[in-house]
Amino acid sequence: MLYVIIGNDVQDSSELRKIARPAHVARLQTLQDEGRLLLAGPFPAVDSNDPGSAGFTGSLIVADFPDLNTAQSWANDDPYVKTGVYQHVTVKPFKKTFPA
């Protein structure tokens, strides 16, 4: 089943993101290589693909996991959680409807 993971950043998370990003991206790459990643990306703090010094306010991941507990455990082990980038993480079941 698909699950949505929404990470909300702490204030001024840019430096922490830089530190943890390689490990964070590596985990996402593993999900992609396994064919389990539907989409992932950050939320720019301003209306721009490149927010510059404004940085990001969080991230969205939609991926396939066997169950909610597994999705939550995967989210809890994310480098952005462990290094304090995310202030709060929400994990919910997700039903993809469109595009079909």
Side-chain angles (χ1 to χ4, degrees), residues 33-56:
D33 294 347
E34 294 170 352
R36 298 172 43 210
L37 182 64
L38 184 65
L39 63 93
F43 301 124
V46 294
D47 191 11
S48 173
N49 281 330
D50 182 3
S53 63
F56 298 95

Side-chain angles (χ1 to χ4, degrees), residues 20-44:
R21 188 172 191 280
H24 171 76
V25 170
R27 292 179 86 234
L28 292 172
Q29 185 64 55
T30 299
L31 284 179
Q32 180 175 303
D33 294 347
E34 294 170 352
R36 298 172 43 210
L37 182 64
L38 184 65
L39 63 93
F43 301 124

